[in-house]
Amino acid sequence: MKIVKEAMSWAGSIGVSFVLVLFIGIFVFQPYKVDGHSMDPTLQDKERIYISKLVHTFAQELEYGDIVVIDSRVDRPRTFKDSLMEQPVIQMIAGSVNERTFYVKRVIGKAGDVLEFKDHQVYRNGQALEEPYIKETMEFVSDHKWTVPEGHVFVMGDNRNASEDSRKIGFIPLDHVMGVKKLP
């Protein structure tokens, strides 16, 4: 009987720990690994970062220049099931493969901003951005003006010439911003 009681105590502790790990990973913070060179020189390929998910949990306002992890599947709504199934612990138990859907990018435009790409620079609301963090002069130019819709952001990588970002995948719904990494 004592062994059964001890086993039940351990099972309860493990169960509570499991739920706590899931709660923290879904709502508070989560590790991600940078995959690729789109954020060079700020973040390196394979670098592990930790993001605060409080922005996502409490729908907090993002700031220009915030480094964010986004769900690039902007063509579909996100659900709680997505957040649950994307947790590393659940993926490990389910034996699922983590597909490449999360990108690390920088917030360049917020709702209502008009963005232009001319003279190899980014212009927000008619003003050229000072971006000391970019790797090199951007090759991309366009005659198109991009107006960020309500409830969305426009993101770009710091390595503008090697980044799959809002120029290609479009505006990012705020519920697709998984979290933010604040730099010191």
Side-chain angles (χ1 to χ4, degrees):
M1 284 299 167
K2 187 174 181 179
I3 294 175
V4 171
K5 214 176 203 181
E6 186 73 23
M8 293 300 285
S9 174
W10 275 99
S13 296
I14 291 170
V16 168
S17 299
F18 181 74
V19 169
L20 187 59
V21 165
L22 285 180
F23 178 83
I24 290 170
I26 292 171
F27 298 110
V28 183
F29 75 91
Q30 184 173 347
Y32 283 91
K33 190 187 308 184
V34 177
D35 187 13
H37 295 279
S38 72
M39 285 301 291
D40 287 350
T42 308
L43 300 172
Q44 307 304 310
D45 183 35
K46 306 297 183 221
E47 183 175 340
R48 182 142 324 258
I49 62 172
Y50 291 87
I51 63 160
S52 169
K53 296 188 97 175
L54 297 177
V55 163
H56 182 73
T57 301
F58 296 114
Q60 295 174 338
E61 176 117 8
L62 295 168
E63 301 294 327
Y64 295 118
D66 278 349
I67 293 178
V68 293
V69 172
I70 61 160
D71 179 346
S72 66
R73 301 170 294 184
V74 297
D75 56 340
R76 67 175 195 70
R78 282 193 55 82
T79 64
F80 180 74
K81 182 181 177 188
D82 291 328
S83 295
L84 187 62
M85 297 309 291
E86 292 159 357
Q87 289 305 304
V89 173
I90 297 294
Q91 287 181 343
M92 183 178 70
I93 292 169
S96 63
V97 176
N98 189 6
E99 53 187 88
R100 192 178 183 311
T101 57
F102 296 105
Y103 296 167
V104 180
K105 303 295 176 194
R106 189 178 295 271
V107 174
I108 301 300
K110 301 191 293 187
D113 287 337
V114 177
L115 299 169
E116 298 175 82
F117 302 94
K118 56 187 180 182
D119 305 323
H120 305 285
Q121 283 190 284
V122 178
Y123 286 77
R124 182 174 54 226
N125 302 323
Q127 300 290 322
L129 300 185
E130 289 186 33
E131 299 180 291
Y133 44 77
I134 65 172
K135 182 175 181 178
E136 59 195 5
T137 303
M138 179 176 60
E139 294 171 6
F140 181 80
V141 292
S142 173
D143 292 334
H144 181 72
K145 290 185 180 184
W146 308 63
T147 302
V148 182
E150 193 66 37
H152 291 74
V153 291
F154 191 96
V155 298
M156 296 177 77
D158 290 355
N159 185 0
R160 302 288 161 80
N161 298 323
S163 177
E164 187 171 326
D165 50 38
S166 286
R167 293 172 291 174
K168 183 174 181 179
I169 63 174
F171 303 109
I172 309 302
L174 290 175
D175 68 343
H176 282 58
V177 176
M178 306 314 302
V180 64
K181 174 180 176 33
K182 297 286 187 180
L183 293 176

